[in-house]
Amino acid sequence: MDRDFLIDLFADFGPVTIRRMFSGFGISADGTNFALALRAGLYLRADERTIPQFEAEGSQPFQYQTRAKTVTVNSYWQLPARLFDDSEELADWARAALAAAQRAALRKRPKTRKAAKPKVSSKAASKPAVGRKPAAKRPAAKARKTTRR
């Protein structure tokens, strides 16, 4: 799949941004990535609300092989082949994928935390040794030198 094909494919959905990603493209709308075009397959973002729809179509989650094992990415599912010929229904699936991606982004947002205590530098935190004057009040090193016999 090339960039122009993907732009045409999502024309009924609306404007999309296509960026190089891995061995294919990442597809986003409104700054949110909702689809991947990889290895001649198109994968849409999915979550607990939309996965049953993919399963009903016989779709599979995105998988890739490492040296040791096969990794399954349950957050992206293959677009049913019949949707390549039905741009209106593909637009509905793309909207659902965008909504799933937005829900995932909301879950990832960091919770507000209490203000952290200001850090004290190590010099300010160290205390002068007992019986010694602070560094600013000590005489310069040259002035302290005495001759030894």
Side-chain angles (χ1 to χ4, degrees):
M1 282 183 240
D2 67 2
R3 184 182 303 269
D4 292 332
F5 173 77
L6 293 169
I7 290 171
D8 289 342
L9 188 65
F10 287 100
D12 284 350
F13 168 76
V16 294
T17 302
I18 312 288
R19 291 198 173 115
R20 296 284 302 152
M21 178 182 276
F22 308 120
S23 62
F25 298 100
I27 303 159
S28 60
D30 300 326
T32 302
N33 195 41
F34 71 93
L36 300 173
L38 302 168
R39 299 185 191 126
L42 185 60
Y43 298 87
L44 296 179
R45 182 68 189 233
D47 62 7
E48 65 280 348
R49 291 187 193 177
T50 59
I51 287 175
Q53 190 176 9
F54 286 97
E55 290 173 332
E57 292 282 339
S59 292
Q60 298 293 316
F62 174 64
Q63 294 182 337
Y64 64 92
Q65 188 72 36
T66 67
R67 291 182 186 175
K69 62 182 178 179
T70 299
V71 177
T72 300
V73 181
N74 279 316
S75 56
Y76 284 91
W77 283 65
Q78 190 164 26
L79 182 72
R82 69 178 182 78
L83 295 178
F84 284 97
D85 297 325
D86 188 346
S87 60
E88 288 179 20
E89 192 173 355
L90 180 128
D92 292 338
W93 282 64
R95 280 189 273 284
L98 179 59
Q102 290 168 336
R103 286 190 295 271
L106 287 174
R107 285 191 296 268
K108 282 187 176 181
R109 286 199 178 149
K111 296 177 182 174
T112 56
R113 296 181 181 176
K114 293 180 182 178
K117 293 181 182 178
K119 292 184 178 182
V120 179
S121 70
S122 60
K123 285 186 177 182
S126 65
K127 296 178 183 177
V130 177
R132 292 183 69 188
K133 295 179 184 178
K137 295 183 180 179
R138 276 187 266 164
K142 288 184 178 180
R144 287 190 305 179
K145 286 187 178 179
T146 58
T147 48
R148 294 185 182 184
R149 292 182 191 198

